[in-house]
Amino acid sequence: MTSDPEELVRLQGYGEMTLRTAIATWMALEPRDRSSTAVFRIRDGERLASGEIAELASDWGIESTGEIRSRARETDRRWPEIVRGMVREAPLPALMVAFLAGVVVARR
């Protein structure tokens, strides 16, 4: 099926846009995020297969970049750094109280 690059589609989690924009956005996602993101045609609600998206991307010269990251994953990666910084700067008595409070909460 031939596809018009200006056809309106819905990219799951990103909203409505042209097919070319949706494919460029989809190709910029990390591979593990691509599997959970779908492209739907607005005119008939049909979901485009990932193979069809990859084929259209290669026809239109869109390369995979994998630069767009999920915000949830970015914050998950930052938490260890935040906690490490808090522990590094905290005085020892405060750390002991926090540890004991954690033990009490965990036992309940």
Side-chain angles (χ1 to χ4, degrees):
M1 171 185 268
T2 60
S3 295
D4 177 24
E6 300 303 316
E7 174 185 4
L8 283 179
V9 297
R10 185 172 38 90
L11 182 61
Q12 183 180 357
Y14 294 88
E16 292 183 9
M17 57 190 74
T18 64
L19 182 58
R20 181 185 300 274
T21 304
I23 290 178
T25 304
W26 190 85
M27 292 296 287
L29 293 171
E30 290 184 18
R32 64 176 170 246
D33 292 334
R34 289 182 195 164
S35 62
S36 62
T37 306
V39 178
F40 295 95
R41 293 183 191 277
I42 291 180
R43 67 175 181 225
D44 57 7
E46 180 182 330
R47 179 180 177 168
L48 275 69
S50 58
E52 183 179 357
I53 295 171
E55 182 179 328
L56 288 171
S58 70
D59 290 346
W60 295 338
I62 300 171
E63 296 181 15
S64 175
T65 58
E67 292 176 357
I68 296 177
R69 293 181 180 11
S70 170
R71 287 184 182 167
R73 288 202 176 115
E74 285 181 15
T75 56
D76 288 347
R77 290 181 188 145
R78 282 191 8 208
W79 273 111
E81 297 169 13
I82 292 170
V83 171
R84 220 176 284 127
M86 291 168 58
V87 169
R88 227 180 278 133
E89 296 172 8
L92 185 59
L95 291 175
M96 291 173 58
V97 169
F99 174 75
L100 292 174
V103 169
V104 170
V105 170
R107 288 193 168 210
R108 287 186 176 198

